[in-house]
Amino acid sequence: MLAQTGVPKLEDLAGVMPSEERLAQGPVAMAECFQNIPCDPCYHSCRRQAIQPFADINDRPQINHDNCNGCGICLSRCPGMAIFIIDQTYSENESLVKMPYEYLPLPLEKDSVVAVNRAGEAVGEAKVVKVQSNEKLEGTSIVWLAVPNELTMEVRHFKLKEVR
Ligand code: SF4
Ligand code: SF4
């Protein structure tokens, strides 16, 4: 159960996942934020009004995926590291998953890394496409991972294969 394990199940994810039609159109945000906590910077950061107004600050974010262009600003503002940008149009065999990352050392672009699921289990390999890290991001880097299409909805973290 999510409250005990912290790991969402398919039924939890079903409520926050963009539709197949929207995923086929390009980058889109997915907010995997499942607890009612007093937090709303995602809502305030979105310039496209894709995140619905919170009636109460403890509400969970509701994204209108049709208004979202996958810009990733909400990802960079989320203190819970709960937002991911998914781009299923990246290439024929791979999707792009943009994720927050707060470990050091940072990976390097073109690194091959171990792809990890929400439970922390290795599920395959992924390639680092880009690493965004600057003062504005305040210690939370954003890593763009190319993952095999079949792992798009599984990979939410990664491990370096070696520390240089
Ligand atoms: S990715 Fe951009 S447009 Fe989409 S919800 Fe986040 S801030 Fe709004
Ligand atoms: S900023 Fe992140 S943790 Fe806070 S409500 Fe939004 S998605 Fe959840």
Side-chain angles (χ1 to χ4, degrees):
M1 190 182 166
L2 178 57
Q4 271 80 46
T5 65
V7 181
K9 292 189 169 175
L10 277 181
E11 56 263 35
D12 303 306
L13 295 167
V16 300
M17 208 177 288
S19 67
E20 283 301 322
E21 292 75 19
R22 177 61 191 84
L23 285 164
Q25 291 168 9
V28 64
M30 183 165 164
E32 302 190 16
C33 177
F34 297 106
Q35 283 191 307
N36 294 85
I37 53 171
C39 182
D40 66 357
C42 55
Y43 164 65
H44 291 287
S45 69
C46 181
R47 297 169 190 162
R48 294 176 62 88
Q49 288 78 49
I51 301 180
Q52 306 302 296
F54 284 36
D56 183 293
I57 196 172
N58 293 292
D59 286 350
R60 293 168 45 205
Q62 305 293 326
I63 300 181
N64 178 340
H65 294 116
D66 290 329
N67 288 356
C68 170
N69 66 355
C71 68
I73 294 173
C74 56
L75 184 167
S76 71
R77 300 291 188 276
C78 171
M81 302 174 74
I83 300 180
F84 302 85
I85 305 297
I86 313 295
D87 184 0
Q88 286 195 345
T89 65
Y90 175 65
S91 77
E92 191 178 339
N93 301 316
E94 294 173 316
S95 298
L96 202 60
V97 181
K98 299 183 187 178
M99 60 186 67
Y101 190 76
E102 291 187 342
Y103 294 96
L104 291 174
L106 290 171
L108 299 177
E109 291 174 12
K110 299 185 181 166
D111 272 355
S112 173
V113 294
V114 179
V116 169
N117 68 11
R118 296 177 181 86
E121 301 159 342
V123 291
E125 298 225 342
K127 189 175 67 203
V128 176
V129 173
K130 187 169 180 173
V131 179
Q132 293 176 277
S133 187
N134 58 52
E135 281 181 12
K136 277 189 181 171
L137 294 174
E138 296 176 349
T140 302
S141 301
I142 299 172
V143 176
W144 302 19
L145 273 195
V147 307
N149 283 338
E150 63 273 18
L151 295 179
T152 308
M153 287 301 165
E154 276 201 60
V155 177
R156 290 297 178 268
H157 193 55
F158 63 90
K159 291 181 193 167
L160 300 180
K161 289 185 178 172
E162 58 175 323
V163 176
R164 296 179 183 86

